[in-house]
Amino acid sequence: MQDKHLSPLNLVNRLQDILIAIFLASFISDPLHIDSFKLGIIFVIITIVWDILSYLCFTYSIEDKQIVIKKGVIFKKVIHVPFARIQSIEHSQYFLFRPFDVEKLQINNASKSGSHDQIILSEVRTYVGRVLEEKHKQYQNQDVDANDDDVKQPEVEKVEDKPEQEITKKKGYAQYKISTKYIALYTFTSFRVFITMFLIAHITHGAVLGFAISIYQKGFGSNMISLIAFSIMAIIIALLLSFIYTMFQFYDFTLVKEGKYLEYEKGLFTRNKVRLSTDRIQSVLIEQNVMGKLLKIMTVKIIMASDGSDEESSQAVVLPILNADKYSDMMNDFFEWIPLKTVEKFNSRKQSIWLFFRNFDWILLVIPIVIYFVGWTTLVYSLVVIGVFTFFYTMGNAYFKYWVTSIGLTGKTKDDYLIVSNGFLFKQRTYYVGWHEIQSMHFESSVFMKRNNLAHIVIRIRKGNSAQTAGVHYIDYDSAKKIYDWYRQ
């Protein structure tokens, strides 16, 4: 393929540069004593000329073994990305660009050079993405004929909206599709409602809260029943806003596994599609908070190694809502290479409840010190309330961490997996990571811990352009040594 330019729609996306130029002109015109209108016109003209030159200087070509990017107005730069080094190709299509058959491509490779070398084809025709996927597939799996455009897909029965859908009609093929009901359940269990309420109060600088209080006082008075009813109504509104956001994010979420590839697609206004090779998965992560444990649901993510630092490319949600009763079946369908049963499993010692609590709550000693020097004022009442809340919160969190913390092995060879489970802020995280995917393992035991026969195990897994740490704390010293010896073999 000869050098090609991006779609002219790329210039439409650059309109935001003009708005930035106008804002910048208005911001610096007063200190420089220059007319903001004239300066704005100059900035806009410079921006338009620069964007056009950038568009004309950016070209791409797809060769037999690599994709070549040429860019730069003043300083020319040529980037060669071999197809064998590509981790994944992310497709994003804004709904306004669908009639034009144009999408954005983000190519993540296996280097550690950082996001400044990340390949982004902002607006290209969708056939470009298909060509790149075929080239990528050819070099990831030599058994696939890259020139065969008529690859036969497994026939999938069309199913209507159900609580969960998983189809395993043929060997090596599985499908998962989330329903509206489960999107609502995901919203309810993610605690996003509280974040939404906080953001609304923060963005409006308390204006919404003040307006709500005034309406409440005028309409309901101040009795306790009315206050509870008003609070419930506020939570329902926040839940609704959170549900709308989640619906935009996970609308028509579909995950398909075909052979050694996972492909997921999601989104309402911007449709995102990513195809991943299972060989590139560094770890499978299971997340479950307290609400999820009560309702027996969890979220499954995969941790990938890529040159991007963004969360989407390095830690992808592949099963947003998974019923705990179907956990084993779904994991066997999509991650059949991971053994789920452990031959050895070690938990935190019971005294870790106090240690987890102590490690954070020492900060509460600040409150009596403040009271001693400041005296008993109105501020102190707030500090006491915060201190009491923090005490019970961290005590509950310490017990939760003790309850969920464990580490286990699925076997004793380098082909086996380590299963690390820990907790933070009432959320349990369970990592399935193979021996070959562990970047490093730290065995930690201070003099005090060794005297009490305790140790920490902390592992590092490559995630994006950095690393994800996962560890267990205050487990039996001899048990931790067994895990460490397994890694050192």
Side-chain angles (χ1 to χ4, degrees):
M1 180 183 290
Q2 297 180 344
D3 288 352
K4 287 184 172 292
H5 291 286
L6 301 174
S7 167
L9 290 173
N10 176 258
L11 295 172
V12 176
N13 255 356
R14 295 174 183 262
L15 292 177
Q16 60 182 352
D17 296 342
I18 297 177
L19 298 177
I20 295 173
I22 295 173
F23 173 78
L24 184 61
S26 64
F27 183 75
I28 67 174
S29 59
D30 288 340
L32 297 177
H33 304 289
I34 301 175
D35 182 77
S36 61
F37 179 75
K38 293 180 180 178
L39 187 63
I41 292 178
I42 294 174
F43 276 22
V44 167
I45 292 175
I46 293 174
T47 301
I48 292 175
V49 171
W50 181 265
D51 285 346
I52 292 175
L53 289 175
S54 297
Y55 170 78
L56 294 175
C57 292
F58 189 103
T59 61
Y60 67 93
S61 61
I62 302 176
E63 300 178 357
D64 290 337
K65 297 182 179 180
Q66 64 181 353
I67 178 172
V68 180
I69 306 292
K70 299 177 182 178
K71 63 180 181 178
V73 178
I74 299 176
F75 301 101
K76 301 295 183 179
K77 190 173 186 179
V78 180
I79 303 174
H80 300 262
V81 182
F83 295 119
R85 298 288 295 170
I86 292 177
Q87 287 272 72
S88 62
I89 303 173
E90 301 183 25
H91 305 250
S92 300
Q93 188 176 47
Y94 190 49
F95 76 101
L96 292 178
F97 289 168
R98 290 176 193 170
F100 304 97
D101 200 28
V102 168
E103 66 179 357
K104 170 186 173 183
L105 297 178
Q106 179 175 305
I107 303 171
N108 301 312
N109 61 50
S111 71
K112 295 185 179 181
S113 56
S115 59
H116 61 279
D117 276 339
Q118 196 171 42
I119 307 302
I120 296 179
L121 303 179
S122 297
E123 280 77 35
V124 294
R125 299 294 296 273
T126 55
Y127 79 86
V128 176
R130 292 194 293 269
V131 172
L132 288 176
E133 290 286 7
E134 286 298 320
K135 293 284 188 179
H136 177 222
K137 190 174 180 180
Q138 176 186 3
Y139 281 90
Q140 290 299 313
N141 186 358
Q142 296 299 326
D143 295 332
V144 177
D145 184 5
N147 297 318
D148 185 10
D149 296 327
D150 298 319
V151 178
K152 188 174 181 180
Q153 302 291 336
E155 296 181 1
V156 182
E157 177 186 354
K158 185 177 179 181
V159 284
E160 301 301 326
D161 194 27
K162 296 179 181 179
E164 274 185 341
Q165 303 167 5
E166 58 270 14
I167 303 171
T168 54
K169 289 197 169 228
K170 294 191 177 183
K171 185 178 180 180
Y173 182 84
Q175 182 183 31
Y176 163 95
K177 191 176 180 68
I178 194 170
S179 69
T180 304
K181 173 186 173 182
Y182 271 70
I183 290 178
L185 194 59
Y186 180 83
T187 302
F188 179 71
T189 59
S190 66
F191 296 120
R192 188 173 285 169
V193 57
F194 301 108
I195 299 175
T196 303
M197 295 174 70
F198 173 79
L199 289 176
I200 292 173
H202 178 73
I203 293 172
T204 60
H205 302 286
V208 171
L209 182 61
F211 175 75
I213 292 175
S214 65
I215 292 296
Y216 164 73
Q217 291 175 342
K218 292 178 182 178
F220 297 99
S222 58
N223 63 78
M224 184 59 66
I225 297 177
S226 299
L227 178 62
I228 294 174
F230 184 80
S231 301
I232 292 174
M233 183 178 67
I235 293 175
I236 290 174
I237 293 174
L239 274 171
L240 180 61
L241 293 175
S242 299
F243 171 75
I244 293 172
Y245 173 81
T246 308
M247 178 62 78
F248 289 163
Q249 184 182 11
F250 289 109
Y251 174 78
D252 196 27
F253 183 98
T254 304
L255 173 69
V256 173
K257 180 180 181 297
E258 183 183 354
K260 58 186 292 186
Y261 291 93
L262 288 174
E263 181 176 293
Y264 68 87
E265 190 171 354
K266 63 177 183 176
L268 182 59
F269 290 120
T270 301
R271 196 71 182 160
N272 298 305
K273 184 172 69 172
V274 183
R275 184 179 179 89
L276 306 166
S277 171
T278 55
D279 292 337
R280 302 289 188 175
I281 295 176
Q282 301 295 299
S283 174
V284 176
L285 170 60
I286 315 297
E287 290 187 347
Q288 188 179 38
N289 58 27
V290 174
M291 290 296 296
K293 282 186 170 295
L294 292 175
L295 297 175
K296 294 185 177 181
I297 57 174
M298 58 189 66
T299 298
V300 181
K301 299 180 179 180
I302 54 174
I303 297 177
M304 304 288 295
S306 68
D307 68 343
S309 59
D310 61 293
E311 191 74 10
E312 184 68 24
S313 62
S314 58
Q315 185 168 306
V317 177
V318 291
L319 296 172
I321 290 288
L322 177 59
N323 192 311
D325 295 334
K326 300 180 180 179
Y327 171 71
S328 297
D329 292 337
M330 294 293 284
M331 289 292 288
N332 288 330
D333 288 340
F334 290 97
F335 310 103
E336 73 280 355
W337 66 91
I338 297 180
L340 301 180
K341 294 184 179 180
T342 57
V343 296
E344 285 188 295
K345 184 178 180 181
F346 312 108
N347 299 86
S348 285
R349 297 268 292 275
K350 197 165 186 178
Q351 66 190 97
S352 66
I353 299 177
W354 154 247
L355 297 173
F356 286 136
F357 174 77
R358 180 207 63 184
N359 290 347
F360 182 83
D361 263 25
W362 63 267
I363 199 171
L364 294 179
L365 297 175
V366 175
I367 295 177
I369 296 174
V370 172
I371 295 175
Y372 177 79
F373 285 101
V374 176
W376 200 269
T377 63
T378 306
L379 174 64
V380 171
Y381 286 104
S382 300
L383 288 175
V384 170
V385 172
I386 293 173
V388 171
F389 172 80
T390 303
F391 176 86
F392 286 104
Y393 181 84
T394 53
M395 177 58 78
N397 188 54
Y399 182 80
F400 180 81
K401 291 180 71 172
Y402 156 73
W403 180 35
V404 301
T405 296
S406 67
I407 187 168
L409 292 171
T410 63
K412 297 183 179 181
T413 69
K414 292 183 179 181
D415 294 327
D416 292 303
Y417 275 71
L418 186 67
I419 303 178
V420 181
S421 177
N422 55 36
F424 181 70
L425 297 179
F426 294 99
K427 177 182 284 187
Q428 180 182 2
R429 294 183 175 93
T430 302
Y431 298 85
Y432 291 86
V433 54
W435 186 93
H436 299 281
E437 282 69 48
I438 299 176
Q439 285 194 320
S440 65
M441 179 181 290
H442 299 275
F443 179 91
E444 302 174 4
S445 182
S446 64
V447 175
F448 167 79
M449 292 173 60
K450 193 170 183 179
R451 188 168 65 245
N452 289 273
N453 200 32
L454 296 173
H456 302 329
I457 288 289
V458 180
I459 66 170
R460 288 172 61 87
I461 312 162
R462 187 178 174 193
K463 172 189 173 185
N465 190 36
S466 57
Q468 172 82 33
T469 59
V472 292
H473 298 83
Y474 305 119
I475 64 172
D476 184 77
Y477 183 91
D478 295 332
S479 301
K481 198 72 170 58
K482 288 183 180 180
I483 300 294
Y484 191 58
D485 290 340
W486 168 79
Y487 178 68
R488 292 179 59 193
Q489 65 178 304

